[in-house]
Amino acid sequence: TAHVFDEFAPKLSAAYHVWGITRRGFGASNWPESGYSADRLGDDVIAVIDALKLKKPVLAGHSIAGEELSSIGTRHPEKVSALIYMEAAHAY
């Protein structure tokens, strides 16, 4: 869940506004039977960006979130200003 960043995020919050997004199927989020492709998960992140009216945020993710980051960067580069991969080794 986004709580994996509970110790790290406060180090950024003095200078930046920090949001945590828990992907579908993790923690208390929705557990749909399908919809776990990188593009679908990337679309979920884009939906959050749009709902919060964020202007070109920097997105950070670790582990399998690298797939979503790559999906977003490839399909919606105009929506983000940067992508940060932290031990994100999964291919898109």
Side-chain angles (χ1 to χ4, degrees):
T1 71
H3 291 290
V4 71
F5 297 109
D6 281 353
E7 291 182 30
F8 179 66
K11 295 174 182 176
L12 300 172
S13 64
Y16 305 98
H17 194 97
V18 179
W19 295 88
I21 302 170
T22 296
R23 66 183 0 218
R24 63 174 61 206
F26 284 77
S29 69
N30 241 355
W31 289 71
E33 290 186 31
S34 63
Y36 295 94
S37 71
D39 289 345
R40 176 64 253 177
L41 294 168
D43 290 344
D44 289 346
V45 174
I46 293 297
V48 171
I49 290 170
D50 290 345
L52 296 173
K53 296 180 172 74
L54 302 178
K55 303 293 184 209
K56 297 187 69 124
V58 173
L59 299 181
H62 91 298
S63 189
I64 58 177
E67 289 182 319
E68 285 126 280
L69 292 177
S70 294
S71 171
I72 292 164
T74 300
R75 298 180 311 120
H76 303 287
E78 76 286 353
K79 294 278 191 173
V80 296
S81 60
L83 303 172
I84 300 171
Y85 293 79
M86 297 180 288
E87 297 182 0
H90 294 270
Y92 169 63

